[in-house]
Every structure is written in C-alpha cells, then in structure tokens.
Amino acid sequence: MPATTTLTARALLLDMDSTIVNSEAVVERCWRRWAAEQGLDAEEVLKVVHGRQGWATMAALLPDRPMELNLADNRRMLAQETADTDGVVPVPGAPAFMEAISRLPHALVTSADVPLSDARMRAAGLAMPVVRITAECVSASKPDPEGFLKGAAELGHRPEDCIVFEDSEAGILAGRAAGMRVVGVGDRAAAFAPTAHVRDLTQVRVEARADGVIALHIAA
C-alpha cells in the first residue's frame, strides 16, 4: 500500500494559481508578451513570475526601473489576464478538495486582485471561499508573510494551527515566514522544501474531526 502522511490543522490557507486553479497558459501568454516588450528572455522571466504580484516580479527583473512604470504595467496586465480565461481549468482533484473543505475554516490567499480571482475561480468552476485575501488587502507581495497572517487572523486561528497550500517559491517562503506548515502542490513546489509535497490535489484526503481538527491524509 502507498505510504500516507497525515498533517493536522484547524484552518487551511490556499493559494489560487497553480494550486487549485491551473492558469499556467494565461500566465505564460501574458508574461511572454511583457518579456518581449522589455527585450528580456521569456524563459528567464517565467522562472520568477509565479507567486508574486506582477509589480514585484517586474521590480525583481528590472531593479533600476521606476516603480511607477511597474505599477502601470501591472494594472495593464491584470486587465489582460482577467479578460483571458482560455485554458483556465481546475487543478486535478481541486473540485473534490474544495467541496470537502467547504464547511471547514479556510481562506484564499492570492497575489491576484479581486476581479482576476473572480474570473479564474469562475472559469475553473470552483466556489469562492468566504474569506479571501487578495492583492488589495496587503501592502507587501509574497514572499512577505502578510497575506497568510491576515488570512489566519480573519479565520481566528493562530499561524501555527494553519496549513498553507502553495505551488511557488515565493508562496512557500511566505507560508514558512508566517510560521505555518506548507503543502507544496505541483512539480515546481518540490524544489522548495515544503512540509509535504503532492503532484496535485487528488493525493489529499480531508477528514473533519469532531474536535474541530482538520486531518489531511497525503498519499505518497
């Protein structure tokens, strides 16, 4: 029988892109266009775009560029990404996973803004969590832990009682900086030492215990 790891928590904090929603095609299209505009190698750009807000990615790639240009490009790209949902689908296992946690304490913690998160969750056919921390809610982008700490506070749980689901280096670093355990989702996450790693959400079984504990049974 395959080995199973069990993690327990009282609340779950979920990244969106590449964690529960597969939006890789849109992200790649938009960032390849931006890379071409800037004369940058698209493959190198795509290595660092995941997990951060767009302006933070731009600042990392072009450290001498005025921030007002990054913010303007970020607004333009958010509008492009919101309008482009071609190829946006749920990560395998996400519909069943979201149904399993629908009555349990959980929040979306995403670098997307409200319109983009609305568009992608709708395109993927996933219900929006009641608690949602978006780009508008924070002053700092992942890997800063602000978003995850705000999500835990809104749910009324201590950071050490929360488990984060993330796919990116920036997100995993943010979860760890918040004092939380992290389940890494997808191939990219494996390189960044999450607490546990899954290929997708078909490997996670949720058990809601009578004492309010959420048990996550993670198949190897």
Side-chain angles (χ1 to χ4, degrees), residues 3 6-7 24-25 28 30 45 50 73 80 82 115-116 119 124 170 174 188 190:
T6 298
L7 301 177
E24 298 265 341
E28 182 166 328
C30 288
V45 169
H50 300 286
D73 276 2
Q80 291 172 353
T82 300
L116 181 56
R188 184 166 48 240

Side-chain angles (χ1 to χ4, degrees), residues 183-212:
V183 176
V185 180
D187 293 341
R188 184 166 48 240
F192 306 117
T195 310
H197 176 257
V198 295
R199 177 187 63 256
D200 57 45
L201 294 171
T202 63
Q203 292 177 253
V204 182
R205 181 172 66 84
V206 179
E207 177 193 1
R209 295 179 178 170
D211 60 358

Side-chain angles (χ1 to χ4, degrees), residues 55-160:
W55 61 263
T57 294
M58 295 169 195
L61 290 164
L62 298 171
D64 297 325
R65 190 180 195 231
M67 184 55 73
E68 59 265 26
L69 295 181
N70 295 338
L71 293 171
D73 276 2
N74 185 61
R75 289 191 293 271
R76 176 170 60 91
M77 289 182 68
L78 281 171
Q80 291 172 353
E81 290 185 83
T82 300
D84 183 359
T85 56
D86 187 25
V88 175
V89 295
V91 166
F97 175 79
M98 296 300 287
E99 175 59 28
I101 68 170
S102 61
R103 294 173 179 80
L104 303 177
H106 69 287
L108 191 73
V109 181
T110 176
S111 294
D113 63 3
V114 167
L116 181 56
S117 57
D118 279 341
R120 287 191 175 160
M121 291 290 280
R122 183 167 56 248
L126 300 176
M128 181 66 72
V130 173
V131 176
R132 170 172 44 162
I133 307 298
T134 61
E136 296 94 336
C137 303
V138 297
S139 60
S141 174
K142 298 171 186 176
D144 191 280
E146 181 185 0
F148 287 125
L149 292 172
K150 283 195 169 185
E154 287 210 23
L155 293 171
H157 289 283
R158 302 178 302 171
E160 58 266 35

